[in-house]
Amino acid sequence: MFEDETAEDLMRDADPDVEDEDEEGEELIGDQMAEDYRAIPELDTYDPAMLADETVAVDELDADGRRAAENLMKKRDMAQRRGRTQGRGRDILDRFADDDEDDEEGDGADLMQRRTRRRAETSAAGDGSADPYMELGEDEEYIANLEDRKGASLREWVITDLPRKEIHRRFKKFLTSFVDENGDNVHAAKIKVMCEKNGESLVISYTHLCQEYPVLAIFVADAPTEVLEIFDKAAAMVVKQSFPAYSLIRPDIHVRVAGLPVSDNIRDIRQMHLNQLVKVSGVVNRRSGIFPQLKLAMYSCAKCDASIGPYVQDTLEPSQVTNCPECQSKGPFSLKAESTVYRNYQKVTIQESPGSVPAGRLPRSKDVILLADLVDSIKPGDEISLTGIYRNNFDQGLNARQGFPVFRTAIEANYIEKAVDKVSKEGLTDEEISAIRELSKLDNIGERIFASIAPSIYGHEDIKIALALSLFGGEAKNMENKSRVRGDINVLMLGDPGTAKSQFLKYVSQVSPRSVFTTGQGASAVGLTAHVARDAETKEWTLNGGALVLADQGVCMIDEFDKMNDQDRTSIHEAMEQQTISISKAGIVTSLQARCAVIAAANPVRGRYQPGLTFSENVDLTEPIISRFDVLCVVKDTVDPVADEKLARFVTGNHVRGHPSEKEKDTPDDRNPLVIEQDLLRKYIAYAKQNVHPKLHNMDQDKVANLYKELRKESAVTGSIPITVRQVDGIIRLSEAHAKLHLRDYVREDDVNMAIRIIVTSFVSTQKFSISKQMARVFSKYMSYKKDNNDLLYHVLAQITREDLKIQQMEEDEDAGTIVIDADRFQEQAKQLEVHDLTTFYKSDQFLGRGYSYDNATKEITKVL
């Protein structure tokens, strides 16, 4: 009778208190009658070699033959049982093997079948009562179907014993055996790098997990709290196999899930996301201190001194002891500090990125809990992509204020990825990088990028060049004496209303990889820099970053710059030059990073720019603020019939092309063929900022020194904008930005010449009308660099035309439909620009396309009005 039983079965049968259901045999009638006949695919398999062919007649065995066959099967089953138990209970089985020969035939085989079927049913039901001898090897398939939850919820299923073992086994196999397309073990290299850095975070790819074990990917997304706990234990076991002593350095290993395919907005998180893995993006604007949080708590009863615990503490809601299990008292209970395990805890707040907030809406924010080694990994101003568990707990204070049950929610961070650049080198494909490199090799790449800046705005070439160089930026430098020189280029646009200043700012906010847009009227000093506030929970003072902090390593656009209060405008002095924001409030003395370029737009004091006044008299800004801008762009709305006609045609053409019915037509338009596709331009800028860092090499220092000397002298005589050493720094920054625009590793002579041209043009444009013409002649050799002579000559000719037109209007000669200009007069002014041959200009589009004609016989230029 005992021939086919294991040692465990014999011990269970020997215990009179254990009720064995096998004594009664199979239950033929009852509520569970159908359960005995349900299909178990793992057992309902047959060896094809042992199946009889239906076409072959089989002779019926006699009694002796049947007895011999059954004895043979008993011995075979006995050998299989002995091999499975691996020697456990072998002596007990051998002791009763001989006595069982006289028992009733078939009892041992029936008992074995019943035992095997019962264990199979127990395993399939997943009730946690698994036989310890049923442990499977690494290469064996588990009998439980992990995908079939038997009607239980997912969280109930993954906390039972058998599914936990299967998840542990599969994930451990995933860490040890998953290889990439090159056949390399992916996680072995990650574990080695993690251990070299003494880290405790093992980052896995959600995409890889989907490829290898889709069911685990579904489980970790829908029940992350329970499944990640299993993952952590499996990862710790794999790390221990490679580095046995690593547990002495880091006792816990945390699995971080990267690459979650679905990303949600903070404002779109709802009840359906509770207790699930979510991925959100935003900007960190608040950070608390680091606190020790209870992980495993042990308590001591004050009456009987019994140890109670350990209690696993939840992230949001702490567990509480209600009564003592020894004396049944209700307290008091004290925490046993020597037996309690702590972990690091920090809370930050992330806010929607300024560019992603819908118009007319307030930006939403969400609390994020950082644990373990994630603390202090981010700071205010960082733009991050966060993967975590959306948790909730009951908040008594919130319910008292609201008057109905409300739960406070937070995201428990699992993986944090900083998005310093939305399009970095890692985010670009090889084809895109190749296209960027090929584009940079074009001879006219500079002109193409300048033409691609705000292509829907007509003219303003100088502003487009300044904005393009500001987007690329220069190189920040740390001097030997620890002083820092900024690399970002600040630009101020001042001009008449209706000259597209705000449109330029909006365009830059869209094309820049990271940008913050604000207005001077709606921005305060603390809104631009930072302010100190008291935390509602911890009652400690915390820092909240402003616009300049949120725009760190990006661009901050300030519209209506002249509408700011003087006190608020003064607060950004430090941020614009030192690129730091110092805080000394409420006992907090610190400094925040504000490494961003400032592009501002302002209107003149009298509504329109007065050419007869200096730049300082036209704008209500102090000299310290003006000197901090590298480029000053003056936009004047001058009356020019030809230019006004072309501007009107350009604007109406944009409206026609922007109509929905025109968008459906695949017809070519008359846009500038030099314009680069905006998506490619955005990637070009991000790639250049991330990977190109030009160095100064054999720069002509004498040229810069002589220019600075001349500018200082002219500034002192005219009393215009102050020329300081910051203009020299500005030339260096503009030179580096121009070299970065061409993806060059060194600054060349033409980069410096272009920078000098921009600085000189900015200086001349800020002078009075009577002085600017004289200045243009003095600095013409700098201003004409890489500038089309035809454009320069047309501006001179247009100026002469306006002067003659005013004379005709004063003479009230209304019948005159043409203006005749002496060619010698025009020739003399062209020589001042060092242009002596005008033949090419007389045949150019700038001359003929604007209604001019030249008579070589009479030496006269005629303009048809």
Side-chain angles (χ1 to χ4, degrees):
M1 172 179 179
F2 302 97
E3 178 176 79
D4 300 315
E5 294 185 59
T6 63
E8 180 190 8
D9 297 330
L10 292 173
M11 295 173 64
R12 186 192 301 113
D13 295 338
D15 190 356
D17 297 331
V18 178
E19 183 176 349
D20 195 345
E21 61 179 354
D22 295 331
E23 296 298 331
E24 300 177 1
E26 297 182 359
E27 184 179 1
L28 301 179
I29 300 176
D31 296 336
Q32 305 296 328
M33 177 177 61
E35 292 295 323
D36 292 333
Y37 303 98
R38 75 171 186 272
I40 301 179
E42 291 80 4
L43 296 180
D44 298 337
T45 58
Y46 306 95
D47 188 359
M50 300 185 66
L51 293 178
D53 192 352
E54 295 180 356
T55 61
V56 179
V58 179
D59 297 333
E60 186 176 356
L61 295 176
D62 55 7
D64 295 336
R66 187 182 298 108
R67 186 178 297 106
E70 289 176 352
N71 291 334
L72 182 62
M73 288 188 291
K74 287 181 182 180
K75 293 180 180 180
R76 182 199 62 188
D77 296 337
M78 188 66 182
Q80 292 178 352
R81 173 67 68 180
R82 287 175 178 174
R84 184 180 296 115
T85 57
Q86 298 179 352
R88 289 191 295 264
R90 191 183 303 273
D91 53 344
I92 300 178
L93 293 173
D94 292 338
R95 184 188 312 163
F96 294 98
D98 298 334
D99 298 339
D100 192 57
E101 297 293 338
D102 299 332
D103 291 339
E104 183 180 355
E105 301 293 338
D107 287 350
D110 295 339
L111 180 60
M112 177 182 174
Q113 293 176 0
R114 290 197 300 269
R115 296 287 189 187
T116 305
R117 186 173 184 87
R118 187 187 67 184
R119 287 178 181 137
E121 292 174 351
T122 303
S123 300
D127 59 359
S129 59
D131 192 331
Y133 300 140
M134 292 294 292
E135 287 288 337
L136 299 177
E138 290 292 328
D139 298 330
E140 296 183 67
E141 286 294 329
Y142 200 71
I143 194 171
N145 185 8
L146 192 59
E147 292 81 359
D148 187 7
R149 302 201 299 264
K150 306 300 182 184
S153 65
L154 179 58
R155 288 182 175 81
E156 294 175 348
W157 175 249
V158 297
I159 62 176
T160 53
D161 186 58
L162 294 180
R164 285 177 63 90
K165 289 183 179 180
E166 178 64 6
I167 294 173
H168 184 281
R169 189 184 69 87
R170 292 192 187 185
F171 186 72
K172 184 179 176 183
K173 188 176 181 181
F174 169 70
L175 293 180
T176 55
S177 62
F178 182 79
V179 295
D180 57 8
E181 58 274 5
N182 298 325
D184 299 329
N185 193 312
V186 175
H187 301 102
K190 291 185 177 181
I191 291 174
K192 182 179 179 181
V193 173
M194 179 192 71
C195 295
E196 288 176 352
K197 297 180 180 180
N198 289 342
E200 54 181 302
S201 292
L202 178 61
V203 181
I204 66 168
S205 172
Y206 189 84
T207 305
H208 293 166
L209 190 61
C210 285
Q211 295 174 0
E212 193 74 8
Y213 294 109
V215 63
L216 295 188
I218 297 174
F219 282 7
V220 75
D222 294 341
T225 305
E226 297 81 4
V227 177
L228 284 175
E229 179 184 354
I230 305 173
F231 283 6
D232 293 348
K233 294 180 179 179
M237 185 176 297
V238 173
V239 172
K240 188 176 181 180
Q241 291 176 355
S242 302
F243 304 94
Y246 193 72
S247 58
L248 301 177
I249 302 175
R250 290 288 184 266
D252 297 325
I253 302 297
H254 304 285
V255 175
R256 311 293 183 191
V257 182
L260 198 67
V262 180
S263 181
D264 299 295
N265 295 324
I266 294 179
R267 63 177 58 246
D268 295 334
I269 295 182
R270 296 291 184 269
Q271 171 267 337
M272 61 178 292
H273 297 96
L274 279 176
N275 299 318
Q276 292 186 355
L277 206 62
V278 297
K279 181 180 180 181
V280 295
S281 299
V283 179
V284 181
N285 66 343
R286 190 175 182 180
R287 183 177 70 173
S288 71
I290 300 176
F291 303 100
Q293 186 198 34
L294 293 177
K295 182 179 180 181
L296 296 175
M298 290 289 296
Y299 295 94
S300 176
C301 180
K303 294 184 178 179
C304 66
D305 199 25
S307 296
I308 308 173
Y311 288 92
V312 178
Q313 298 291 322
D314 188 77
T315 305
L316 296 178
E317 188 174 1
S319 60
Q320 297 179 354
V321 182
T322 56
N323 57 355
C324 176
E326 297 292 337
C327 63
Q328 302 301 320
S329 65
K330 295 185 178 181
F333 305 101
S334 60
L335 185 69
K336 299 181 66 175
E338 65 277 4
S339 303
T340 301
V341 179
Y342 298 89
R343 61 182 170 187
N344 294 323
Y345 172 92
Q346 187 180 35
K347 187 171 73 171
V348 300
T349 303
I350 62 171
Q351 180 179 294
E352 287 181 299
S353 300
S356 63
V357 180
R361 304 283 187 89
L362 291 175
R364 302 285 180 85
S365 60
K366 185 66 66 177
D367 291 337
V368 177
I369 296 173
L370 307 181
L371 301 175
D373 59 334
L374 292 181
V375 298
D376 262 358
S377 59
I378 52 178
K379 62 182 183 302
D382 287 342
E383 187 171 358
I384 63 171
S385 178
L386 171 75
T387 302
I389 308 171
Y390 188 52
R391 305 284 301 275
N392 70 311
N393 75 324
F394 186 76
D395 190 348
Q396 188 67 36
L398 186 61
N399 293 329
R401 292 192 300 270
Q402 301 294 338
F404 60 92
V406 176
F407 289 87
R408 184 169 56 88
T409 59
I411 300 176
E412 183 180 332
N414 175 262
Y415 176 69
I416 297 175
E417 181 181 7
K418 292 185 180 180
V420 177
D421 280 323
K422 293 182 180 178
V423 184
S424 61
K425 181 179 179 181
E426 292 75 16
L428 295 176
T429 62
D430 294 338
E431 292 78 8
E432 291 171 339
I433 295 177
S434 177
I436 290 173
R437 284 291 182 182
E438 291 296 328
L439 192 63
S440 66
K441 296 177 183 179
L442 298 178
D443 295 334
N444 62 340
I445 180 60
E447 288 75 9
R448 293 197 63 178
I449 290 180
F450 297 151
S452 303
I453 299 295
S456 61
I457 300 176
Y458 178 78
H460 303 304
E461 286 79 9
D462 293 337
I463 295 180
K464 293 182 178 181
I465 293 174
L467 294 180
L469 297 181
S470 179
L471 284 172
F472 283 92
E475 290 296 315
K477 302 176 184 65
N478 293 318
M479 303 301 181
E480 295 179 357
N481 57 357
K482 304 303 181 183
S483 63
R484 184 180 182 276
V485 178
R486 64 180 170 92
D488 297 293
I489 299 171
N490 300 327
V491 180
L492 173 63
M493 293 180 291
L494 175 70
D496 297 332
T499 51
K501 299 186 300 297
S502 299
Q503 290 295 331
F504 276 120
L505 296 183
K506 283 293 186 181
Y507 173 81
V508 173
S509 66
Q510 295 174 3
V511 76
S512 176
R514 184 173 184 180
S515 62
V516 175
F517 184 90
T518 182
T519 58
Q521 188 68 30
S524 61
V526 295
L528 285 174
T529 56
H531 72 281
V532 179
R534 189 183 292 274
D535 188 82
E537 294 184 0
T538 61
K539 305 302 180 183
E540 67 168 1
W541 293 100
T542 58
L543 280 174
N544 292 357
L548 292 172
V549 177
L550 298 182
D552 186 33
Q553 295 185 346
V555 182
C556 180
M557 280 74 62
I558 306 177
D559 200 4
E560 305 293 342
F561 192 65
D562 57 305
K563 305 298 190 301
M564 295 177 61
N565 298 328
D566 292 338
Q567 182 179 1
D568 298 340
R569 198 184 298 121
T570 306
S571 64
I572 67 174
H573 280 192
E574 180 189 2
M576 291 184 64
E577 188 61 35
Q578 281 74 35
Q579 294 194 322
T580 57
I581 295 174
S582 299
I583 299 293
S584 180
K585 296 179 181 179
I588 297 177
V589 180
T590 185
S591 179
L592 299 177
Q593 298 283 358
R595 298 161 296 180
C596 62
V598 176
I599 301 178
N603 292 318
V605 177
R606 296 169 179 81
R608 296 184 67 85
Y609 192 86
Q610 302 295 327
L613 301 177
T614 62
F615 184 86
S616 301
E617 295 171 346
N618 271 288
V619 64
D620 187 17
L621 296 175
T622 60
E623 288 190 359
I625 281 288
I626 296 176
S627 66
R628 281 170 166 79
F629 286 100
D630 299 285
V631 183
L632 301 175
C633 299
V634 178
V635 190
K636 300 174 184 177
D637 188 10
T638 57
V639 179
D640 186 350
V642 177
D644 293 342
E645 180 184 356
K646 292 181 70 66
L647 173 61
R649 291 183 181 276
F650 183 85
V651 173
T652 53
N654 283 341
H655 281 276
V656 171
R657 287 191 298 269
H659 196 273
S661 61
E662 293 293 329
K663 288 183 179 180
E664 298 175 359
K665 300 178 181 179
D666 190 13
T667 57
D669 51 37
D670 56 349
R671 284 180 288 187
N672 192 344
L674 297 177
V675 174
I676 303 173
E677 184 184 355
Q678 294 299 302
D679 186 50
L680 179 59
L681 176 64
R682 188 180 300 109
K683 295 177 181 179
Y684 190 101
I685 295 173
Y687 178 82
K689 289 180 63 110
Q690 184 80 9
N691 303 284
V692 182
H693 306 284
K695 301 177 182 178
L696 295 174
H697 182 65
N698 294 333
M699 190 183 72
D700 190 355
Q701 300 181 12
D702 294 336
K703 179 186 290 187
V704 178
N706 293 331
L707 174 66
Y708 176 65
K709 180 178 64 176
E710 294 179 18
L711 290 176
R712 290 272 293 182
K713 183 177 66 175
E714 296 293 340
S715 175
V717 173
T718 59
S720 59
I721 62 172
I723 296 296
T724 64
V725 74
R726 286 172 177 161
Q727 269 65 32
V728 179
D729 292 335
I731 293 175
I732 304 300
R733 284 190 284 267
L734 291 169
S735 303
E736 293 170 343
H738 194 263
K740 190 181 294 186
L741 181 144
H742 292 82
L743 303 187
R744 288 198 286 257
D745 294 331
Y746 291 95
V747 176
R748 301 195 315 197
E749 186 68 21
D750 54 345
D751 299 325
V752 179
N753 293 334
M754 176 59 75
I756 290 176
R757 168 192 155 184
I758 296 171
I759 292 292
V760 172
T761 305
S762 172
F763 175 73
V764 172
S765 65
T766 59
Q767 305 299 322
K768 295 181 181 180
F769 178 75
S770 58
I771 302 175
S772 61
K773 297 175 65 177
Q774 177 186 355
M775 289 262 185
R777 289 192 295 269
V778 174
F779 296 103
S780 61
K781 60 181 179 179
Y782 300 115
M783 298 175 62
S784 61
Y785 175 74
K786 270 196 176 181
K787 204 166 188 178
D788 193 352
N789 289 334
N790 292 339
D791 290 336
L792 288 174
L793 293 173
Y794 167 72
H795 286 300
V796 173
L797 184 60
Q799 183 66 28
I800 297 175
T801 305
R802 283 193 292 268
E803 292 175 358
D804 292 351
L805 183 61
K806 289 181 180 179
I807 294 174
Q808 286 189 7
Q809 292 175 352
M810 292 175 62
E811 294 176 355
E812 297 181 356
D813 187 6
E814 299 180 356
D815 297 334
T818 60
I819 296 177
V820 180
I821 302 171
D822 187 5
D824 294 336
R825 175 187 173 190
F826 176 59
Q827 179 78 26
E828 289 297 327
Q829 296 197 16
K831 289 181 180 179
Q832 296 178 3
L833 299 176
E834 297 182 357
V835 179
H836 303 280
D837 186 10
L838 299 177
T839 306
T840 305
F841 174 70
Y842 290 144
K843 298 178 181 179
S844 65
D845 293 336
Q846 289 92 332
F847 183 79
L848 298 176
R850 289 176 168 85
Y852 289 95
S853 61
Y854 173 67
D855 189 351
N856 193 25
T858 60
K859 302 293 184 182
E860 291 180 346
I861 300 173
T862 305
K863 165 70 172 176
V864 180
L865 299 178

